[in-house]
Amino acid sequence: MTDFVAAHGNVFLAHRMRRASDRIVDQVGGMLASMGLDVPPRGASMLLLLDDCGSIGVVEIARRLRLSHPLIVRMAHRFEDLGLVTVAHDPEDARRRRLITTDKARREATAIRAFNERLASMFDLLFAEIDCQLPAVLDRLDAALDSAPIAARLAALPASEGDDQ
């Protein structure tokens, strides 16, 4: 059966990238679970950042990971439910919540770091297999979209037949 999305070429690039990302997350998540880790696979980078900092606010996490504040708030609640963090309010600003790592989080971060070493080696081999250094390509894609967003790029195209002038 033909892949409907792939058959439409590059216009559904984000869909295909999300699909590949979900596949990686699902496969890595299964491995983390088999290792007895509770950290959600989409939260591993947040766990390592928390472990590096010991205590950090959700706004700072969102900024440093370049993810949305609402996403980080949801993940913070999940981490709290899993016993990976405790939450403290900043004495200088009651609206600001700081996440503080637990012993469990520090143990899981240690395991994630060891796992990531093997995962990085596996990805190096995978990228060689597909003859594409995907992280470098994604860096260039991000930079290009930062310098000229899609709307600007579309506006720069010559008008096509049937476009209103």
Side-chain angles (χ1 to χ4, degrees):
M1 179 193 311
T2 303
D3 182 330
F4 180 83
V5 173
H8 283 82
N10 59 14
V11 298
F12 291 126
L13 176 64
H15 183 124
R16 293 185 71 192
M17 290 172 68
R18 177 62 184 252
R19 197 164 61 184
S21 172
D22 288 346
R23 176 180 287 178
I24 292 167
V25 167
D26 289 346
Q27 291 179 11
V28 167
M31 296 187 71
L32 295 178
S34 73
M35 294 168 57
L37 300 177
D38 287 333
V39 65
R42 292 191 193 277
S45 59
M46 181 170 150
L47 180 71
L48 294 182
L49 177 61
L50 281 161
D51 188 54
D52 286 349
C53 298
S55 169
I56 187 171
V58 293
V59 171
E60 179 69 5
I61 294 169
R63 185 186 68 73
R64 298 218 13 218
L65 296 181
R66 297 176 66 185
L67 295 170
S68 74
H69 182 264
L71 174 67
I72 297 302
V73 169
R74 285 191 305 275
M75 189 65 70
H77 288 300
R78 180 102 186 267
F79 274 34
E80 188 175 17
D81 290 346
L82 292 168
L84 296 170
V85 298
T86 58
V87 179
H89 291 283
D90 189 322
E92 296 177 20
D93 183 351
R95 297 169 299 166
R96 187 170 180 217
R97 297 169 15 120
R98 296 193 66 75
L99 304 182
I100 303 163
T101 55
T102 63
D103 289 341
K104 178 181 179 180
R106 288 185 286 280
R107 285 190 306 273
E108 293 211 6
T110 298
I112 291 288
R113 283 189 172 86
F115 175 74
N116 281 354
E117 287 181 24
R118 296 192 66 227
L119 191 61
S121 296
M122 183 279 309
F123 275 122
D124 288 343
L125 293 170
L126 177 61
F127 297 148
E129 178 183 326
I130 65 171
D131 194 27
C132 177
Q133 291 305 310
L134 195 52
V137 171
L138 291 173
D139 289 344
R140 292 193 308 269
L141 176 64
D142 280 342
L145 291 174
D146 284 344
S147 71
I150 291 171
R153 292 172 183 277
L154 282 172
L157 290 176
S160 57
E161 205 172 306
D163 281 351
D164 290 334
Q165 307 260 329

Coordinates of all heavy atoms in Angstrom, one line a residue, residues 86-136:
T86 N 10.5 17.4 43.4 CA 9.6 18.1 44.4 C 9.5 19.5 43.8 O 10.4 20.0 43.1 CB 10.1 18.0 45.8 OG1 11.4 18.7 45.9 CG2 10.2 16.6 46.3
V87 N 8.4 20.1 44.2 CA 8.2 21.5 43.7 C 8.2 22.4 44.9 O 7.6 22.2 45.9 CB 6.8 21.6 43.0 CG1 6.5 23.0 42.5 CG2 6.8 20.6 41.8
A88 N 8.9 23.5 44.7 CA 9.0 24.6 45.8 C 8.7 25.9 45.1 O 9.0 26.1 43.9 CB 10.4 24.6 46.4
H89 N 8.0 26.7 45.8 CA 7.7 28.1 45.3 C 8.9 29.0 45.7 O 9.4 28.9 46.8 CB 6.4 28.6 45.9 CG 5.2 27.9 45.3 ND1 4.7 28.1 44.0 CD2 4.4 26.9 45.8 CE1 3.7 27.3 43.8 NE2 3.5 26.6 44.9
D90 N 9.2 29.9 44.7 CA 10.3 30.8 44.9 C 9.9 31.8 46.0 O 8.8 32.4 45.9 CB 10.6 31.5 43.6 CG 11.9 32.3 43.7 OD1 12.1 33.0 44.7 OD2 12.6 32.4 42.6
P91 N 10.7 32.0 47.1 CA 10.3 32.9 48.1 C 10.2 34.4 47.6 O 9.5 35.2 48.2 CB 11.4 32.7 49.2 CG 12.5 32.0 48.5 CD 11.9 31.3 47.4
E92 N 10.9 34.7 46.6 CA 10.9 36.0 46.0 C 9.8 36.3 45.0 O 9.4 37.4 44.8 CB 12.2 36.3 45.4 CG 13.4 36.3 46.3 CD 14.7 36.6 45.6 OE1 14.7 37.1 44.5 OE2 15.8 36.2 46.3
D93 N 9.2 35.2 44.5 CA 8.1 35.3 43.5 C 7.2 34.1 43.7 O 7.6 33.0 43.1 CB 8.7 35.4 42.1 CG 7.6 35.6 41.1 OD1 6.4 35.5 41.4 OD2 7.9 35.9 39.9
A94 N 6.1 34.2 44.3 CA 5.2 33.0 44.6 C 4.7 32.4 43.4 O 4.3 31.2 43.4 CB 4.1 33.5 45.5
R95 N 4.7 33.1 42.3 CA 4.2 32.5 41.0 C 5.2 31.5 40.4 O 4.9 30.7 39.6 CB 3.9 33.6 40.0 CG 2.8 34.5 40.4 CD 2.7 35.7 39.5 NE 4.0 36.4 39.6 CZ 4.4 37.3 38.7 NH1 3.7 37.7 37.7 NH2 5.6 37.9 38.9
R96 N 6.4 31.7 40.8 CA 7.5 30.9 40.2 C 7.7 29.6 40.9 O 7.8 29.6 42.2 CB 8.8 31.7 40.2 CG 10.0 31.1 39.5 CD 11.1 32.0 39.4 NE 12.2 31.3 38.7 CZ 13.4 31.5 38.9 NH1 13.8 32.3 39.8 NH2 14.3 30.8 38.3
R97 N 7.7 28.5 40.2 CA 7.9 27.2 40.7 C 9.2 26.7 40.4 O 9.6 26.8 39.2 CB 6.8 26.2 40.2 CG 5.4 26.6 40.6 CD 4.3 25.8 39.8 NE 4.8 24.6 39.1 CZ 4.3 23.4 39.4 NH1 3.4 23.2 40.3 NH2 4.8 22.4 38.7
R98 N 9.9 26.2 41.4 CA 11.2 25.6 41.1 C 11.1 24.1 41.3 O 10.5 23.6 42.2 CB 12.3 26.1 42.1 CG 12.5 27.6 41.9 CD 13.7 28.1 42.6 NE 15.0 27.6 42.1 CZ 15.6 27.9 41.0 NH1 15.1 28.8 40.2 NH2 16.8 27.4 40.6
L99 N 11.7 23.3 40.4 CA 11.7 21.9 40.5 C 13.0 21.5 41.1 O 14.1 21.9 40.7 CB 11.6 21.3 39.1 CG 10.3 21.7 38.3 CD1 10.3 21.0 36.9 CD2 9.1 21.5 39.0
I100 N 12.9 20.6 42.0 CA 14.1 20.1 42.8 C 14.2 18.6 42.6 O 13.2 17.9 42.8 CB 14.0 20.5 44.3 CG1 13.8 22.0 44.4 CG2 15.2 20.0 45.0 CD1 13.3 22.4 45.8
T101 N 15.4 18.1 42.1 CA 15.5 16.7 41.8 C 15.5 15.9 43.1 O 15.9 16.3 44.2 CB 16.8 16.4 41.1 OG1 17.9 17.0 41.9 CG2 16.8 17.0 39.7
T102 N 15.0 14.7 43.0 CA 15.0 13.7 44.1 C 16.1 12.7 43.9 O 16.8 12.7 42.8 CB 13.6 12.9 44.1 OG1 13.5 12.2 42.9 CG2 12.4 13.9 44.3
D103 N 16.3 11.9 44.9 CA 17.4 10.9 44.8 C 17.0 9.9 43.6 O 17.9 9.5 42.8 CB 17.5 10.0 46.0 CG 18.1 10.8 47.2 OD1 18.8 11.8 46.9 OD2 17.9 10.4 48.3
K104 N 15.7 9.6 43.4 CA 15.3 8.8 42.3 C 15.7 9.5 41.0 O 16.2 8.8 40.1 CB 13.8 8.6 42.4 CG 13.2 7.8 41.2 CD 11.7 7.6 41.3 CE 11.2 6.8 40.2 NZ 9.7 6.7 40.2
A105 N 15.5 10.8 40.8 CA 15.8 11.5 39.6 C 17.3 11.4 39.3 O 17.7 11.2 38.2 CB 15.4 12.9 39.7
R106 N 18.1 11.5 40.4 CA 19.5 11.5 40.2 C 20.0 10.1 39.7 O 20.9 9.9 38.9 CB 20.3 11.9 41.4 CG 20.1 13.5 41.7 CD 20.9 14.0 42.9 NE 20.3 13.6 44.1 CZ 19.3 14.3 44.7 NH1 18.8 15.3 44.1 NH2 18.8 13.9 45.9
R107 N 19.4 9.0 40.3 CA 19.7 7.7 39.9 C 19.3 7.5 38.4 O 20.0 6.9 37.6 CB 19.0 6.6 40.8 CG 19.6 6.5 42.1 CD 19.0 5.3 42.9 NE 17.6 5.3 43.0 CZ 16.9 5.9 44.0 NH1 17.5 6.5 44.9 NH2 15.6 5.8 44.0
E108 N 18.1 7.9 38.1 CA 17.6 7.8 36.7 C 18.5 8.6 35.7 O 18.8 8.1 34.6 CB 16.1 8.1 36.6 CG 15.3 7.1 37.3 CD 13.9 6.8 36.7 OE1 13.6 7.3 35.6 OE2 13.1 6.1 37.4
A109 N 18.9 9.7 36.1 CA 19.8 10.6 35.2 C 21.1 9.9 35.0 O 21.6 9.9 33.8 CB 20.0 11.9 35.9
T110 N 21.6 9.2 36.0 CA 22.9 8.4 35.8 C 22.7 7.3 34.8 O 23.5 7.1 33.9 CB 23.4 7.9 37.2 OG1 23.6 9.0 38.0 CG2 24.6 7.0 37.0
A111 N 21.5 6.6 34.9 CA 21.2 5.5 34.0 C 21.0 6.1 32.6 O 21.5 5.5 31.6 CB 20.0 4.7 34.5
I112 N 20.3 7.2 32.5 CA 20.1 7.8 31.2 C 21.4 8.2 30.5 O 21.6 8.0 29.3 CB 19.2 9.1 31.3 CG1 17.8 8.6 31.7 CG2 19.2 9.9 30.0 CD1 17.0 8.0 30.6
R113 N 22.3 8.8 31.3 CA 23.6 9.2 30.7 C 24.3 8.0 30.1 O 24.9 8.0 29.0 CB 24.5 9.9 31.7 CG 24.0 11.3 31.9 CD 25.0 12.1 32.8 NE 24.6 13.5 32.8 CZ 23.8 14.1 33.6 NH1 23.2 13.3 34.6 NH2 23.5 15.4 33.6
A114 N 24.4 6.9 30.8 CA 25.0 5.6 30.3 C 24.3 5.1 29.1 O 24.9 4.8 28.1 CB 25.0 4.6 31.4
F115 N 23.0 5.1 29.1 CA 22.2 4.7 28.0 C 22.4 5.6 26.8 O 22.6 5.1 25.7 CB 20.7 4.7 28.4 CG 19.8 4.4 27.2 CD1 19.7 3.1 26.7 CD2 19.0 5.3 26.6 CE1 18.8 2.7 25.7 CE2 18.2 5.0 25.6 CZ 18.1 3.7 25.1
N116 N 22.5 6.9 27.0 CA 22.7 7.9 25.9 C 24.1 7.7 25.2 O 24.2 7.9 24.0 CB 22.6 9.3 26.4 CG 21.2 9.7 26.6 OD1 20.2 9.0 26.2 ND2 21.0 10.9 27.2
E117 N 25.1 7.2 25.9 CA 26.3 6.9 25.3 C 26.2 5.8 24.2 O 26.7 6.0 23.1 CB 27.4 6.5 26.3 CG 27.9 7.7 27.2 CD 28.9 7.2 28.2 OE1 29.6 6.2 27.9 OE2 29.1 7.9 29.2
R118 N 25.5 4.8 24.6 CA 25.2 3.7 23.6 C 24.3 4.2 22.5 O 24.5 3.8 21.3 CB 24.6 2.5 24.4 CG 25.6 1.9 25.4 CD 25.2 0.5 25.9 NE 25.2 -0.4 24.8 CZ 24.2 -1.3 24.5 NH1 23.2 -1.3 25.3 NH2 24.4 -2.1 23.5
L119 N 23.3 4.9 22.9 CA 22.3 5.5 21.9 C 23.0 6.4 20.9 O 22.7 6.3 19.7 CB 21.2 6.2 22.6 CG 20.0 6.6 21.8 CD1 19.2 5.4 21.3 CD2 19.0 7.4 22.7
A120 N 23.9 7.2 21.3 CA 24.7 8.1 20.4 C 25.5 7.2 19.4 O 25.5 7.5 18.2 CB 25.6 9.0 21.2
S121 N 26.1 6.2 19.9 CA 26.9 5.3 19.0 C 26.0 4.6 18.0 O 26.3 4.5 16.8 CB 27.6 4.2 19.8 OG 28.6 4.8 20.7
M122 N 24.8 4.2 18.5 CA 23.9 3.6 17.6 C 23.4 4.5 16.5 O 23.4 4.2 15.3 CB 22.7 3.0 18.3 CG 21.6 2.3 17.5 SD 20.4 3.3 16.6 CE 19.8 4.4 17.8
F123 N 23.1 5.8 16.9 CA 22.7 6.8 15.9 C 23.8 7.1 14.9 O 23.6 7.3 13.7 CB 22.2 8.1 16.6 CG 20.7 8.0 16.9 CD1 20.3 8.1 18.3 CD2 19.7 7.7 16.0 CE1 19.0 8.0 18.6 CE2 18.4 7.6 16.3 CZ 18.0 7.8 17.6
D124 N 25.1 7.2 15.4 CA 26.2 7.4 14.5 C 26.2 6.3 13.4 O 26.4 6.6 12.2 CB 27.5 7.4 15.2 CG 27.7 8.6 16.1 OD1 27.1 9.6 15.9 OD2 28.6 8.5 17.0
L125 N 26.0 5.1 13.8 CA 26.0 4.0 12.8 C 24.7 4.1 11.9 O 24.8 3.9 10.7 CB 26.0 2.6 13.5 CG 27.2 2.3 14.3 CD1 27.0 1.0 15.1 CD2 28.4 2.1 13.3
L126 N 23.6 4.4 12.4 CA 22.4 4.6 11.6 C 22.6 5.7 10.6 O 22.2 5.6 9.4 CB 21.2 4.9 12.5 CG 19.8 5.2 11.8 CD1 19.4 4.0 11.0 CD2 18.8 5.5 12.9
F127 N 23.1 6.8 11.0 CA 23.3 8.0 10.1 C 24.3 7.6 9.0 O 24.2 8.0 7.9 CB 23.7 9.2 10.8 CG 22.7 9.7 11.8 CD1 23.1 10.4 13.0 CD2 21.3 9.5 11.6 CE1 22.1 10.8 13.9 CE2 20.4 10.0 12.5 CZ 20.8 10.6 13.6
A128 N 25.3 6.8 9.4 CA 26.3 6.4 8.3 C 25.5 5.4 7.4 O 25.8 5.5 6.1 CB 27.4 5.6 9.0
E129 N 24.7 4.6 7.9 CA 23.9 3.6 7.1 C 23.0 4.4 6.1 O 22.9 4.0 4.9 CB 23.0 2.8 8.0 CG 22.1 1.8 7.2 CD 21.3 1.0 8.2 OE1 21.7 0.7 9.3 OE2 20.1 0.7 7.8
I130 N 22.4 5.5 6.5 CA 21.5 6.2 5.6 C 22.3 7.4 4.9 O 21.6 8.1 4.1 CB 20.3 6.7 6.3 CG1 20.6 7.8 7.4 CG2 19.4 5.6 6.9 CD1 19.4 8.5 8.0
D131 N 23.6 7.4 5.1 CA 24.4 8.4 4.5 C 23.9 9.9 4.7 O 23.7 10.6 3.7 CB 24.6 8.1 3.0 CG 25.7 9.0 2.4 OD1 26.7 9.3 3.1 OD2 25.7 9.2 1.2
C132 N 23.5 10.2 5.9 CA 23.0 11.5 6.2 C 23.3 11.8 7.7 O 22.9 11.1 8.6 CB 21.5 11.6 6.0 SG 20.8 13.2 6.4
Q133 N 24.0 12.9 7.9 CA 24.2 13.4 9.3 C 23.0 14.2 9.7 O 23.0 15.4 9.6 CB 25.5 14.1 9.4 CG 26.8 13.2 9.2 CD 26.7 12.1 10.2 OE1 26.5 12.3 11.4 NE2 26.9 10.9 9.7
L134 N 21.9 13.5 10.1 CA 20.7 14.2 10.3 C 20.7 15.3 11.3 O 20.1 16.4 11.0 CB 19.6 13.1 10.7 CG 18.2 13.5 10.7 CD1 17.8 14.1 9.4 CD2 17.3 12.3 11.1
P135 N 21.4 15.2 12.4 CA 21.5 16.4 13.3 C 22.0 17.7 12.6 O 21.5 18.8 12.8 CB 22.4 16.0 14.5 CG 22.2 14.5 14.5 CD 22.1 14.1 13.0
A136 N 23.1 17.5 11.8 CA 23.6 18.7 11.1 C 22.6 19.2 10.1 O 22.5 20.4 10.0 CB 24.9 18.2 10.4

